[in-house]
Amino acid sequence: MVSKKITILFLFVVLLCLQTYAQRQTFDLSDFSMFPQDESGTTAHINCDEKLKNIEENLTQANLKRQGYGYSVQIFFGSGNDARLQAENARKKFLTKFSDYEAAMVYEPPYFKVRAGNCRTKLEATKLKKLFASEYPGCFIVECKISYPEL
């Protein structure tokens, strides 16, 4: 009786393993453009779940764009006939005062905006806001797309 239960349990485990193996997909690393092609003809094949492959492809594409969501400090926004010129002047003035930081002019109709810093966390943005507040007392933190730094 005990050996019959063990046999049934063993068959169940084998069937479970076979089902898991059947759901896996094989793909070649050459499918991803992040690895240079060499002339040796060496290839590597990885067996993984289809969901994992999709996650890897999405991360690879996001990394190529080098953008993601984060925080910046908005130091200027305005609309009107001369808003673009005012935004360009605000950006130039900012870059002369704070040359270690990036500043970008953004147009979101009907406003021209100048945002400084590419912060991944709100804490980083808060530190920058405190730094910029002496020169730009009305500055505030915004959540927006940021560019990741070159590594």
Side-chain angles (χ1 to χ4, degrees):
M1 186 71 168
V2 174
S3 66
K4 192 174 193 179
K5 288 182 179 179
I6 292 174
T7 306
I8 291 173
L9 181 63
F10 176 77
L11 288 174
F12 177 76
V13 170
V14 168
L15 287 174
L16 185 64
C17 291
L18 287 174
Q19 180 193 13
T20 304
Y21 184 76
Q23 290 178 352
R24 294 183 175 271
Q25 179 183 2
T26 302
F27 64 96
D28 191 358
L29 288 178
S30 63
D31 294 344
F32 300 106
S33 60
M34 62 185 172
F35 297 107
Q37 297 292 329
D38 63 355
E39 296 173 10
S40 66
T42 306
T43 59
H45 296 282
I46 299 174
N47 292 325
C48 72
D49 191 66
E50 177 67 26
K51 293 176 187 173
L52 183 63
K53 181 180 178 188
N54 291 339
I55 290 171
E56 179 123 20
E57 287 174 355
N58 291 339
L59 288 174
T60 302
Q61 291 303 317
N63 191 35
L64 291 175
K65 293 177 186 173
R66 303 196 59 73
Q67 283 190 336
Y69 282 95
Y71 300 91
S72 289
V73 179
Q74 189 160 306
I75 58 171
F76 173 85
F77 73 97
S79 65
N81 294 337
D82 61 343
R84 181 185 190 122
L85 182 62
Q86 289 177 350
E88 287 173 355
N89 290 338
R91 182 178 175 273
K92 288 177 187 174
K93 180 182 171 188
F94 174 83
L95 291 175
T96 58
K97 290 259 186 202
F98 301 99
S99 59
D100 293 342
Y101 299 97
E102 295 179 24
M105 190 172 71
V106 179
Y107 178 65
E108 293 176 355
Y111 297 104
F112 284 92
K113 304 173 181 183
V114 178
R115 295 179 178 158
N118 289 320
C119 304
R120 293 184 184 193
T121 65
K122 197 165 188 174
L123 180 62
E124 287 178 69
T126 304
K127 290 177 184 177
L128 283 183
K129 181 183 177 246
K130 286 181 182 179
L131 178 68
F132 302 153
S134 62
E135 192 69 31
Y136 302 95
C139 67
F140 56 93
I141 297 170
V142 292
E143 186 174 358
C144 58
K145 276 193 173 182
I146 62 168
S147 298
Y148 294 133
E150 292 280 334
L151 297 178

